[in-house]
Amino acid sequence: MRLWHGKVPVEKADEYERFLIKRAVPDYSSVDGLLKLYFTRKDENKVAHFLLITIWDSIESIKKFAGDEPELAKYYPEDDEFLLEKEKYVSMYQIFYEK
């Protein structure tokens, strides 16, 4: 499982949601090995937190999407218009049980 977190000013959050669906969903979905995709949002005061959760069949599949260093965050040029900062790393977890 790969988790990416980003923060956007709340007044830009709806537009960023639309951007992610239009730009990021097709990008993630184009990679064989993607099993599940969850794009989540939580608004806190003036900041909207986005957590993108992706479930993959293997580390090799993640590398097809993110490159040889899959723990490094992947960004699109348009992210500069929205994000308050660009976190360098994502979090990655191995799923050991699912129901």
Side-chain angles (χ1 to χ4, degrees), residues 20-31:
L20 287 174
I21 292 167
K22 182 179 177 183
R23 177 79 159 91
V25 168
D27 187 29
Y28 279 89
S29 300
S30 71
V31 179

Side-chain angles (χ1 to χ4, degrees), residues 43-79:
D43 293 351
E44 288 185 330
N45 300 316
K46 297 181 180 189
V47 175
H49 294 265
F50 287 83
L51 182 63
L52 279 54
I53 304 163
T54 52
I55 312 296
W56 303 85
D57 66 356
S58 67
I59 190 70
E60 290 77 23
S61 294
I62 296 173
K63 287 180 178 180
K64 288 178 195 172
F65 171 74
D68 289 334
E69 297 181 67
E71 66 280 349
L72 294 177
K74 176 179 175 177
Y75 290 100
Y76 304 102
E78 300 91 337
D79 283 321

Side-chain angles (χ1 to χ4, degrees), residues 4-8 13 16-17 20 40-41 48-52:
W4 173 87
H5 172 258
K7 296 185 290 188
V8 172
Y16 194 59
E17 269 189 25
L20 287 174
T40 68
R41 171 181 164 184
H49 294 265
F50 287 83
L51 182 63
L52 279 54

